[in-house]
Amino acid sequence: MKVLTKCPEPVKRGAVYCPICTHTVEAEVVTVKKATFVRPGQKCARCHASLDAGYVLHLAQAA
């Protein structure tokens, strides 16, 4: 029997600001408690730069 030690993180789609090309692109966003951040390892759809340092601008979810 497999025992889960940690709950899986909920992944959602959101608008993320790319600091390299200065555009807003859609990417996967992880929410942990009240903090939201970009899921590590994603690339910008426009310039193919890493979005690890990107800002989450908009996350569509109910209040």
Side-chain angles (χ1 to χ4, degrees), residues 3-62:
V3 177
L4 293 175
T5 58
K6 183 179 175 186
C7 295
E9 300 168 341
V11 177
K12 299 177 183 171
R13 301 294 287 180
V16 177
Y17 175 77
C18 177
I20 303 301
C21 67
T22 66
H23 283 92
T24 304
V25 294
E26 189 172 323
E28 293 181 353
V29 177
V30 177
T31 304
V32 178
K33 295 186 181 179
K34 291 186 177 183
T36 57
F37 55 92
V38 181
R39 188 179 61 108
Q42 293 190 80
K43 301 279 184 177
C44 176
R46 297 178 62 97
C47 67
H48 303 290
S50 176
L51 285 176
D52 291 346
Y55 297 105
V56 178
L57 296 178
H58 186 273
L59 180 62
Q61 71 181 35

